[in-house]
Amino acid sequence: ETGVTQTPRHLVMGMTNKKSLKCEQHLGHNAMYWYKQSAKKPLELMFVYNFKEQTENNSVPSRFSPECPNSSHLFLHLHTLQPEDSALYLCASSPYGQFATNEKLFFGSGTQLSVL
Amino acid sequence: EDQVTQSPEALRLQEGESSSLNCSYTVSGLRGLFWYRQDPGKGPEFLFTLYSAGEEKEKERLKATLTKKESFLHITAPKPEDSATYLCAGMLDSNYQLIWGAGTKLIIKP
């Protein structure tokens, strides 16, 4: 158990649905991240919140919308997704902030998303 | 272009059969090289960080090494519980961003 909790674990949604992924950490970490993991591909960084401020948006389509209401919670709001968005979505946190050299990531178990 | 490549894509070993996983990198400036382990249905779990060529770190049956072009994860006398996907990532000097490899799936047969 890493201390990072993601819900739901599995999600099936239609292309017209709206859903949200939730991530929670009570580790006192200062940075939180959303990653996309597709089979046999490298992890893709989507968004970073560093001390509650969004610092990265790696050309992610607007159908993905992040929200960080406080330092412990991170959401990923989804709407009008495409089948190619089906993947494992991982949340991570790190203790000292995004720009610390020895900054290891603590990952949740992910949400397996299927878009029909 | 900054890139991290892992090989092989998959590796099947008998229990006790030692081997190495490779992570080669071409990045503009490397701040650190990270290794993670990922079990099915879980997120990656941190193993090691290496910062300079020649550095080595060990944990149980795993030893990670770093050169100026690549990193190796050596596994000595592996057990079935070492089966997992092993990911490496290079942290860029310029912006602290991680460039990930696609992983090596390691299967240890009893």
Side-chain angles (χ1 to χ4, degrees):
Chain A
E1 180 57 57
T2 65
V4 179
T5 303
Q6 289 188 245
T7 54
R9 290 297 308 275
H10 302 272
L11 180 62
V12 179
M13 58 188 289
M15 293 169 61
T16 58
N17 291 159
K18 288 185 180 181
K19 296 285 184 182
S20 295
L21 310 185
K22 180 181 176 182
C23 176
E24 189 171 351
Q25 60 93 4
H26 294 289
L27 301 170
H29 288 181
N30 291 312
M32 296 187 77
Y33 309 74
W34 280 117
Y35 277 93
K36 177 182 179 181
Q37 187 174 37
S38 303
K40 299 187 178 182
K41 289 186 177 181
L43 286 174
E44 296 176 48
L45 179 64
M46 300 176 72
F47 303 104
V48 182
Y49 279 83
N50 194 43
F51 293 90
K52 296 188 291 183
E53 296 294 322
Q54 185 177 339
T55 55
E56 297 284 346
N57 177 343
N58 280 1
S59 303
V60 180
S62 59
R63 57 186 183 268
F64 296 90
S65 173
E67 180 188 3
C68 187
N70 55 58
S71 58
S72 300
H73 294 87
L74 185 65
F75 295 89
L76 187 62
H77 303 299
L78 316 172
H79 66 95
T80 58
L81 294 190
Q82 305 298 310
E84 60 264 29
D85 296 322
S86 298
L88 180 68
Y89 289 84
L90 290 163
C91 172
S93 68
S94 62
Y96 304 110
Q98 182 186 4
F99 302 108
T101 296
N102 188 23
E103 196 66 341
K104 64 183 184 183
L105 298 173
F106 293 74
F107 285 88
S109 294
T111 295
Q112 186 66 54
L113 174 66
S114 297
V115 181
L116 305 179
Chain B
E1 182 189 352
D2 299 312
Q3 195 170 346
V4 172
T5 304
Q6 292 189 247
S7 61
E9 188 175 309
L11 181 62
R12 289 171 174 77
L13 300 173
Q14 288 293 136
E15 184 173 0
E17 181 184 1
S18 302
S19 188
S20 297
L21 313 182
N22 178 265
C23 171
S24 64
Y25 60 91
T26 52
V27 299
S28 49
L30 185 76
R31 180 165 289 270
L33 191 291
F34 293 73
W35 282 97
Y36 285 80
R37 167 190 172 132
Q38 185 173 20
D39 292 302
K42 293 191 175 181
E45 181 181 349
F46 172 79
L47 290 173
F48 306 108
T49 311
L50 302 165
Y51 294 102
S52 56
E55 188 175 0
E56 298 183 353
K57 287 194 176 172
E58 290 188 64
K59 180 180 180 179
E60 296 180 358
R61 294 175 291 283
L62 298 176
K63 182 169 78 172
T65 62
L66 182 65
T67 72
K68 289 186 177 180
K69 293 182 179 180
E70 57 195 346
S71 178
F72 292 94
L73 186 65
H74 308 277
I75 182 159
T76 302
K79 298 181 177 181
E81 54 261 41
D82 295 320
S83 298
T85 296
Y86 291 85
L87 306 174
C88 72
M91 178 178 275
L92 300 182
D93 211 16
S94 57
N95 61 8
Y96 293 76
Q97 207 167 91
L98 288 173
I99 308 298
W100 293 84
T104 292
K105 184 174 182 178
L106 179 65
I107 300 168
I108 308 299
K109 296 176 286 185

